Amino acid sequence: MNIPILSIVTFLPIGGAILFIFISREKRALLFSMAFIISLVNFLISLLLYFNFNSQTSSPQFVEKTTWIGYGIEYHVGIDGISLFLVLLTTFLMPVAILSSWKYIQRREKEYLIFILMLETGIIGVFVSLNLFLFYVFWEAMLIPMYFIIGIWGGQRRIYATLKFVLFTMLGSLLMLVAIFILYSIYFKATGTYSLNIFDYYKIILNPRIQIWLFLAFAIAFAIKVPLIPFHTWLPDAHVEAPTAGSVLLAAVLLKMGAYGFLRFALPLFPDATQRLLPFLAVLSLIGILYGGLMALIQKNVKSLVAYSSVSHMGLIMLSVFALNTISVEGAIYQMLNHGLSTGALFLCVGILYERSHTHVIKDYGGVSRQMPIFSAFFLVFILSSLGLPGLNGFVGEILCLFGIFKSNTVFAILAASTVILSAVYLLWMFQRVMQGPITNEKINSFKDLNKREICYFVPIIILVFWMGIYPGPFLRKMDVSVNHLLKQIQRKEKFFTNEHIDKTFFLDTAINPNTWKEKHQDNKEVNSQ
Amino acid sequence: MTEIFWMIPFFPALGSLVLVLLGHKLSKKHVSFIACSTIFISLCISVISFAGLLKIGAENYPLVKKLFTWIPTHGFKADFSLQFDPLSAIMVLIVTVVGFLIHIYSTGYMAEDKSYSRYFAYLNLFTFAMLILVMASNIVLMFVGWEGVGLCSYLLIGFWFEKHSAAQAGKKAFIVNRIGDAAFLIGILFIFFHIGSGEFTAINTAISRGSISTGFATVVGILLFAGATGKSAQIPLYVWLPDAMEGPTPVSAFIHAATMVTAGVYMVARMNFLYSFSGTASHIIAFIGALTAIYAATMALTQNDIKRVLAYSTISQIGYMFIGCGVGAYSAGMFHLYTHAFFKSLLFLAAGSVMHALSGEADMRKMGGLKKYLPITYPAFLIGAIAISGIPFFSGFFSKDAILTKAFTNGQYFVWTIGVLGTILTAFYMFRLIFLTFHGKERITPEAKMLLHESPPVMTVPLVILAFFSVVAGYAGVPAVFGKKLDWFSCFLQPIFSRGREVHVSLGAELALILISSFLAILGLYLAYLSYIKRPQFPHTFATRFPFIYRLLYNKYYVDEAYDALFVRPLVRGSEQIYNKFDLKIIDGAVNETASATGSFGKLICYLQTGFIKDYALVFLLGVALFLGYLLF
């Protein structure tokens, strides 16, 4: 097929945003409906990716490659079984996010929608880029709209929160940029050609000592995004201040970029460093699970409670990624989708409450279920999904993650399983304080139950929550081959380097092609034996 | 016709779905029709399947129906497949029969409630989850049912969520259960890791092939049993069940007496091949069961809330079932589960009928002398009490005797002694309840008395049916010494429990044991009669003479308080400390400090930019001088 579906999916939103220039800002409904339609159409197009995806091959699909700036900087996009679902998650949640902003955003709607659509392009770009430079561009570009979304439409402390968010991320990406440059120059020295194509980098072997530094640079960038402890403090602030849609996208998709970065870049590019630093990262993730859960327990603010629950859930996902076996990685990817849906939906719920009472403080609520029975049902299902009730999506991901972790390290899995208890405690306690009990705040008596628009964006999520819990096959089967391929990539253990007879000067700071290296190695051996 | 067994769970599921989506638009009549008819269809299919099961030979067990592949990954594969064998069949019949009766009863009990359809949606959903639990052919799907019933229990305990205590109790139930479930989940991981499959037949094969070590069986056995202590309210996780009485009474009867709380027993029976393999795990089960049986019984002695007495009694009786399973007499444990389902749901429904009559009053201190006002409820309650006390020729007698005899003949004398002593307590607290409620002086408030009435037929007919079962159900398992054929129940389950330890008992020993336990049951009854009818002052005297014991029992050994002080508060306080002192001060503090340090540094060097040309010229001059100096020297 010659239609560049992937480029369309990536750039349709921003292209659509250009149209907004010609629309008067007075026509609020038109602006919103247009944005909604654009994102919905984009979702429908992205479904083509799913249906035309060949799950038998590990090579990237829907590849488009053209020279762009030169010197290895190419426009090179493509997806495999891992990025496919993250793209779909993004396109799926965009219409939902736009619908949810309909009432919440009451000023500068035009700019808001433009930024939201820009954001979509940025996020999808991150997931589809196969060129390091292109990836970096999207990675950074995505920050701009998010910066404004939090900074303009956020809450009281929005400026503080958005600056913190951007500076934190920038700090990480700066390190990553340096690492990319070093990689680039090493590659050039080793091979004499310019390339930023990640598949070229998968083929080379780097000096393990260099690997450690480069890995750290990438890992910090991604760890901030995930976020791993102790890089997490931007998250609660950003979440609390962001408008609903911002929070939804932040939790559902932006955090996944960190995990995706680990899977696509940090781990497979630097296999030796991965092996070396894995225990450390795994411990950070494990701490994240427990720490996030305990912090969520005592939050007085619904939104920061959900934010800390994200820290805990992402900890499980990352621990599962770092367990590095087929089940754990598949579980992690699946859990990313689940987390995207359930936490996204929880933020939607919090947003709905906020629209009615303009407070996030748990104490101000109580007994809401009585006024909003339909909302209560939705909210409860999302909570159950988030705490991993069997039959809903969260369970499938959680048990795969735990089993994958168990295969690598039993003790870690047992400790990680405490998330089963903790998540129930903080989520149900929150549900009890917000939704149940007698009504203490008079405002709640005037709460209206969900309107049609709100039901509209909840229903698709609910359907997926059940579907992914009861029949996860269509999702898991598509990612199988890609995950196995990726793992092979990460686990290409460079036995050469443990060999003591290596001529150290040979690869001091350079990368080598395994084949050429083998030849050299043979020579060395001969020299040594003589 | 047996192959249609797989449809059994789905009718209640359908009912629940319809009620969730359309319930608010339907009239109460239609709601009750949907709720009751779906479960009635399931009941019919269960009976048909059961009849079919009797016809086919034991070599065809279990019948398995794979509906679809649920989790398809390599290395962790779980099917959505249901199975039907004698063990499942008995559970299915209990669930559908008792469930149907309770649905009917509920149409009367809940008639005035404004959330009528929500109630039945939950109740149907519960039935579905429970049926999945008992019909699952692998442990992961069983876990779906396992947590599913937990969810419904949560929803139904907190059904009147406007009441703070109800919401609190629901949450407590879910969380305490989750603690057990986490252990259960880890058990599942162990099974998959070592056996590679969660199918019960595969686990069984792996164990009989000898590819599994005893140590593994012990670890898994204990982990799964830890899950069971949550679901089946055993020490140390029993604390949620008494609070669960906040839910509507039919729910207590159905979920917290007859079905869900016995899921742990079913699980142990289902995994009997594992527990038979691990002596240690079995001993732990028997020990915990015995301990719980007597411990909960002592707490039941002093409670004044009619439902709480029954709740503690349930905990205690499930302890007996675990004694049975723990000593290797799985069919005896299951037999007690089966008789208990009838008489305990009878007791709860009868208690519900009493409360209904008294406009919701559950405090026994405000009852008394109700015998004459409740001509159907009273005899029903009495039959239930006789049955549970183990007085001869009623159902509880046979099942309790089966357990204790097996414990004795298997040489578990300690467990047996505790079990027998528990018999006195059981009879005592049950008849204390009867005497306080139905006999003696009337202590009813005048307002309640005005509205005092016997319940409508939709409520009393299920009582009568359950009373009938409470009398006769025991004859399915008359001790084998009186004739091998008479013990139909354990013969029927024999193919499942082929590894269980069945020791032959002599007629003399059997009779002696029966005599001892019957005597003790009657002794308990008599003591209750002495204390509450003959000398009603006695309990009061006792309480003032031994205030420590009385208060300890009355306050349930202060276990709730201890858990709160040991776990809940330290967890919350500790987290708060970490949040305030570490998360905000240190981690976030470092972040903000870095930012402000950068800012200050910027401010500092901005002094260099004065805007005066002469300052710049000076710096320039100094620079040139330094540079020249460096070059020259």
Side-chain angles (χ1 to χ4, degrees):
Chain A
M1 202 177 341
N2 289 325
I3 309 166
I5 308 181
L6 217 46
S7 291
I8 295 175
V9 170
T10 312
F11 292 105
L12 182 76
I14 205 166
I18 291 171
L19 291 180
F20 277 61
I21 298 168
F22 306 108
I23 301 174
S24 150
R25 59 171 60 255
E26 307 301 319
K27 294 180 178 161
R28 193 167 181 279
L30 178 68
L31 287 166
F32 269 102
S33 356
M34 257 188 63
F36 175 68
I37 288 166
I38 291 167
S39 59
L40 190 68
V41 168
N42 206 32
F43 170 61
L44 295 176
I45 297 173
S46 71
L47 282 180
L48 286 177
L49 295 173
Y50 177 83
F51 290 115
N52 292 319
F53 188 83
N54 176 1
S55 56
Q56 303 305 317
T57 169
S58 65
S59 47
Q61 300 176 39
F62 307 100
V63 176
E64 292 161 42
K65 193 173 174 185
T66 46
T67 36
W68 176 21
I69 301 176
Y71 300 103
I73 299 173
E74 289 167 322
Y75 177 75
H76 184 188
V77 295
I79 52 171
D80 64 357
I82 298 165
S83 37
L84 168 69
F85 288 105
L86 293 169
V87 170
L88 286 174
L89 180 70
T90 314
T91 54
F92 171 77
L93 281 172
M94 274 301 165
V96 171
I98 290 168
L99 270 189
S100 77
S101 325
W102 209 294
K103 196 174 149 229
Y104 194 98
I105 302 300
Q106 290 292 355
R107 60 203 175 87
R108 295 171 178 259
E109 295 89 345
K110 185 165 150 181
E111 289 86 344
Y112 175 81
L113 292 168
I114 291 175
F115 283 133
I116 286 273
L117 291 171
M118 272 171 73
L119 186 64
E120 178 167 14
T121 293
I123 296 168
I124 297 174
V126 165
F127 291 134
V128 299
S129 297
L130 296 177
N131 185 291
L132 277 168
F133 185 85
L134 189 64
F135 169 76
Y136 186 78
V137 167
F138 279 123
W139 178 272
E140 292 285 89
M142 174 262 0
L143 277 181
I144 301 164
M146 201 63 202
Y147 172 78
F148 287 113
I149 288 172
I150 300 177
I152 297 178
W153 293 274
Q156 291 284 319
R157 296 167 68 230
R158 57 180 180 267
I159 303 296
Y160 169 74
T162 197
L163 262 179
K164 198 171 177 181
F165 161 70
V166 167
L167 286 181
F168 242 114
T169 318
M170 291 277 272
L171 174 77
S173 38
L174 199 65
L175 290 173
M176 186 167 73
L177 183 66
V178 174
I180 291 176
F181 272 127
I182 296 173
L183 262 182
Y184 181 64
S185 66
I186 289 176
Y187 187 87
F188 178 68
K189 269 190 215 163
T191 62
T193 49
Y194 294 111
S195 174
L196 281 161
N197 182 338
I198 52 164
F199 295 105
D200 290 340
Y201 287 92
Y202 285 172
K203 282 183 215 134
I204 61 165
I205 303 164
L206 288 164
N207 177 345
R209 269 176 297 167
I210 292 283
Q211 278 196 31
I212 299 267
W213 292 109
L214 295 180
F215 179 81
L216 278 176
F218 273 87
I220 289 175
F222 299 139
I224 288 172
K225 206 76 176 178
V226 167
L228 284 179
I229 307 288
F231 305 110
H232 65 282
T233 54
W234 63 269
L235 185 74
D237 284 320
H239 268 310
V240 170
E241 301 307 323
T244 303
S247 283
V248 171
L249 295 173
L250 191 62
V253 205
L254 263 65
L255 306 189
K256 309 299 173 298
M257 288 166 41
Y260 174 78
F262 270 107
L263 279 172
R264 175 75 73 223
F265 301 98
L267 302 181
L269 287 180
F270 315 108
D272 288 282
T274 301
Q275 298 295 337
R276 197 82 61 83
L277 294 173
L278 212 53
F280 179 67
L281 288 169
V283 169
L284 280 190
S285 315
L286 183 64
I287 293 174
I289 297 176
L290 303 172
Y291 187 85
L294 289 176
M295 294 303 101
L297 190 64
I298 47 106
Q299 292 305 312
K300 295 186 168 59
N301 178 313
V302 206
K303 246 185 160 179
S304 59
L305 190 152
V306 182
Y308 272 106
S309 88
S310 262
V311 173
S312 180
H313 280 105
M314 290 307 289
L316 181 68
I317 291 171
M318 289 320 296
L319 185 58
S320 190
V321 165
F322 296 138
L324 288 185
N325 56 60
T326 316
I327 292 187
S328 78
V329 175
E330 278 180 26
I333 298 166
Y334 201 66
Q335 191 65 352
M336 282 189 222
L337 307 179
N338 294 333
H339 177 259
L341 291 176
S342 57
T343 308
L346 285 180
F347 276 118
L348 288 173
C349 291
V350 173
I352 281 175
L353 286 171
Y354 185 80
E355 277 177 28
R356 283 160 176 75
S357 66
H358 296 281
T359 170
H360 287 315
V361 181
I362 295 178
K363 243 192 222 153
D364 296 343
Y365 293 100
V368 178
S369 285
R370 210 164 116 198
Q371 290 299 316
M372 305 176 70
I374 302 174
F375 169 68
S376 170
F378 280 113
F379 195 12
L380 188 62
V381 171
F382 296 133
I383 280 179
L384 295 171
S385 150
S386 182
L387 61 78
L389 187 89
L392 303 181
N393 57 352
F395 175 70
V396 178
E398 201 166 88
I399 199 166
L400 289 178
C401 285
L402 286 174
F403 186 61
I405 297 165
F406 191 95
K407 279 177 88 172
S408 293
N409 190 323
T410 311
V411 177
F412 273 44
I414 291 172
L415 290 173
S418 61
T419 180
V420 170
I421 303 169
L422 275 177
S423 57
V425 176
Y426 59 73
L427 285 171
L428 289 183
W429 193 26
M430 183 263 279
F431 188 75
Q432 185 199 339
R433 285 177 292 169
V434 173
M435 302 300 290
Q436 302 180 321
I439 295 179
T440 45
N441 185 343
E442 282 197 1
K443 257 190 188 172
I444 293 170
N445 284 318
S446 61
F447 277 17
K448 290 228 164 57
D449 210 345
L450 299 187
N451 58 32
K452 282 204 180 104
R453 171 180 59 87
E454 288 160 336
I455 291 177
C456 254
Y457 61 73
F458 272 144
V459 166
I461 305 181
I462 284 275
I463 291 172
L464 271 178
V465 161
F466 278 97
W467 179 14
M468 292 178 69
I470 295 169
Y471 197 59
F475 299 87
L476 289 169
R477 286 200 193 97
K478 290 254 179 193
M479 54 179 82
D480 207 36
V481 175
S482 301
V483 168
N484 277 318
H485 181 72
L486 177 83
L487 283 171
K488 256 184 234 145
Q489 207 56 253
I490 298 172
Q491 276 150 357
R492 59 190 157 118
K493 277 226 181 105
E494 318 310 1
K495 292 189 198 90
F496 324 110
F497 289 106
T498 56
N499 192 326
E500 302 208 343
H501 300 291
I502 301 169
D503 178 2
K504 290 220 169 89
T505 54
F506 179 69
F507 59 94
L508 188 62
D509 61 350
T510 53
I512 27 179
N513 205 319
N515 299 324
T516 55
W517 187 81
K518 264 179 204 159
E519 289 158 24
K520 289 274 182 189
H521 187 54
Q522 294 294 326
D523 299 345
N524 279 345
K525 261 191 178 168
E526 279 155 29
V527 173
N528 285 339
S529 58
Q530 281 163 11
Chain B
M1 280 303 275
T2 326
E3 59 274 13
I4 56 167
F5 74 86
W6 63 270
M7 298 181 193
I8 296 171
F10 294 103
F11 291 99
L14 192 71
S16 178
L17 192 67
V18 172
L19 291 178
V20 165
L21 295 179
L22 306 170
H24 55 284
K25 287 184 189 150
L26 298 171
S27 70
K28 283 190 177 174
K29 221 175 180 180
H30 289 128
V31 168
S32 35
F33 175 75
I34 291 171
C36 298
S37 63
T38 50
I39 188 162
F40 184 70
I41 298 170
S42 287
L43 172 61
C44 294
I45 302 176
S46 311
V47 171
I48 294 168
S49 309
F50 178 69
L53 198 68
L54 289 175
K55 271 186 219 137
I56 64 166
E59 62 280 0
N60 296 321
Y61 300 157
L63 300 166
V64 178
K65 172 87 180 175
K66 179 182 158 181
L67 296 176
F68 58 89
T69 303
W70 176 32
I71 302 176
T73 51
H74 301 295
F76 195 96
K77 208 163 168 316
D79 288 333
F80 197 102
S81 63
L82 300 174
Q83 72 172 26
F84 203 65
D85 65 355
L87 185 58
S88 294
I90 284 172
M91 289 303 290
V92 165
L93 281 177
I94 292 171
V95 173
T96 48
V97 169
V98 174
F100 177 63
L101 293 174
I102 287 172
H103 273 69
I104 298 282
Y105 178 93
S106 298
T107 57
Y109 191 86
M110 299 299 284
E112 306 302 319
D113 201 278
K114 59 186 189 318
S115 304
Y116 194 74
S117 70
R118 184 163 63 93
Y119 174 83
F120 280 102
Y122 292 165
L123 213 56
N124 262 357
L125 183 66
F126 169 79
T127 314
F128 166 67
M130 190 68 205
L131 288 168
I132 291 288
L133 197 167
V134 300
M135 291 178 74
S137 82
N138 62 63
I139 195 151
V140 193
L141 188 61
M142 185 191 207
F143 192 62
V144 175
W146 186 270
E147 288 243 293
V149 290
L151 165 71
C152 299
S153 162
Y154 163 78
L155 293 170
L156 283 161
I157 295 168
F159 182 72
W160 292 306
F161 56 81
E162 291 99 332
K163 233 169 87 188
H164 178 72
S165 55
Q168 181 72 19
K171 185 198 68 185
K172 182 176 175 185
F174 197 92
I175 289 171
V176 173
N177 267 296
R178 267 261 152 158
I179 296 171
D181 291 355
F184 195 102
L185 191 66
I186 296 169
I188 294 179
L189 299 181
F190 266 101
I191 289 176
F192 267 88
F193 188 65
H194 289 275
I195 299 176
S197 168
E199 292 290 323
F200 295 123
T201 45
I203 302 171
N204 194 357
T205 327
I207 288 173
S208 50
R209 265 208 322 261
S211 51
I212 293 306
S213 72
T214 325
F216 165 78
T218 306
V219 170
V220 173
I222 291 171
L223 285 169
L224 296 184
F225 180 65
T229 58
K231 193 102 320 183
S232 297
Q234 299 293 290
I235 292 172
L237 297 180
Y238 67 89
V239 285
W240 63 272
L241 187 60
D243 291 3
M245 297 302 124
E246 291 285 343
T249 308
V251 168
S252 310
F254 189 22
I255 300 183
H256 304 121
T259 55
M260 182 189 87
V261 287
T262 57
V265 181
Y266 165 78
M267 187 278 296
V268 173
R270 174 57 75 201
M271 301 294 281
N272 68 82
F273 36 82
L274 185 88
Y275 287 102
S276 305
F277 191 56
S278 163
T280 320
S282 291
H283 282 307
I284 290 174
I285 293 180
F287 182 73
I288 296 270
L291 208 61
T292 313
I294 193 137
Y295 171 79
T298 57
M299 287 188 287
L301 295 176
T302 55
Q303 298 304 311
N304 290 321
D305 183 307
I306 190 167
K307 284 177 74 183
R308 280 186 181 249
V309 175
L310 293 176
Y312 282 110
S313 152
T314 305
I315 299 174
S316 168
Q317 294 301 311
I318 296 168
Y320 278 100
M321 298 172 204
F322 278 118
I323 294 177
C325 293
V327 301
Y330 300 103
S331 68
M334 284 302 297
F335 189 40
H336 196 51
L337 189 163
Y338 150 83
T339 56
H340 177 260
F342 295 116
F343 58 67
K344 188 50 72 62
S345 51
L346 168 65
L347 286 169
F348 265 114
L349 292 188
S353 173
V354 170
M355 286 164 63
H356 195 72
L358 293 174
S359 325
E361 184 58 61
D363 191 335
M364 290 193 290
R365 285 170 297 191
K366 294 181 186 157
M367 295 181 186
L370 289 174
K371 194 167 76 170
K372 54 181 177 292
Y373 300 107
L374 305 173
I376 305 173
T377 307
Y378 172 64
F381 213 125
L382 193 62
I383 288 172
I386 295 174
I388 193 176
S389 303
I391 289 167
F393 314 117
F394 285 66
S395 61
F397 161 75
F398 293 100
S399 53
K400 200 176 288 182
D401 175 66
I403 289 172
L404 292 175
T405 309
K406 296 284 162 36
F408 188 82
T409 48
N410 283 345
Q412 307 253 18
Y413 302 115
F414 174 71
V415 169
W416 177 80
T417 316
I418 291 185
V420 166
L421 287 177
T423 314
I424 310 181
L425 296 179
T426 310
F428 184 85
Y429 67 68
M430 258 349 281
F431 280 91
R432 168 180 176 266
L433 194 159
I434 292 272
F435 294 143
L436 281 178
T437 310
F438 294 101
H439 295 260
K441 228 170 57 198
E442 283 180 27
R443 298 178 297 274
I444 316 159
T445 55
E447 308 88 67
K449 192 164 180 187
M450 294 235 306
L451 299 165
L452 190 57
H453 61 286
E454 177 62 294
S455 303
V458 279
M459 288 167 69
T460 51
V461 170
L463 284 184
V464 173
I465 298 172
L466 284 170
F468 170 74
F469 280 122
S470 299
V471 177
V472 303
Y475 291 93
V478 177
V481 279
F482 300 113
K484 187 81 185 128
K485 277 275 168 58
L486 288 176
D487 195 0
W488 172 86
F489 195 87
S490 60
C491 291
F492 180 56
L493 285 173
Q494 180 56 30
I496 314 288
F497 301 138
S498 50
R499 287 158 196 271
R501 287 206 283 164
E502 298 289 341
V503 184
H504 186 69
V505 203
S506 71
L507 185 61
E510 176 81 54
L511 283 175
L513 291 170
I514 288 177
L515 276 178
I516 293 172
S517 60
S518 322
F519 170 72
L520 290 176
I522 292 167
L523 179 68
L525 194 163
Y526 181 66
L527 286 175
Y529 173 73
L530 276 185
S531 321
Y532 292 93
I533 299 288
K534 254 307 182 29
R535 295 173 51 200
Q537 281 326 100
F538 176 72
H540 185 71
T541 331
F542 180 86
T544 42
R545 186 83 60 80
F546 304 101
F548 174 71
I549 299 181
Y550 178 76
R551 251 185 291 151
L552 192 65
L553 294 180
Y554 185 73
N555 290 303
K556 304 158 280 184
Y557 297 95
Y558 297 98
V559 170
D560 276 327
E561 287 79 2
Y563 281 1
D564 200 45
L566 285 175
F567 303 112
V568 181
R569 258 179 292 159
L571 199 70
V572 173
R573 292 262 169 81
S575 304
E576 267 165 7
Q577 291 290 325
I578 297 174
Y579 181 63
N580 290 325
K581 300 234 164 96
F582 182 70
D583 203 65
L584 290 183
K585 285 249 170 71
I586 297 183
I587 301 188
D588 209 27
V591 172
N592 287 330
E593 280 311 307
T594 316
S596 66
T598 315
S600 324
F601 182 67
K603 272 199 191 120
L604 210 66
I605 51 172
C606 87
Y607 288 120
L608 291 177
Q609 193 175 4
T610 55
F612 294 113
I613 201 95
K614 56 179 189 191
D615 291 355
Y616 298 149
L618 182 67
V619 173
F620 178 70
L621 194 70
L622 281 174
V624 170
L626 275 174
F627 186 64
L628 279 176
Y630 176 76
L631 279 185
L632 291 175
F633 303 105

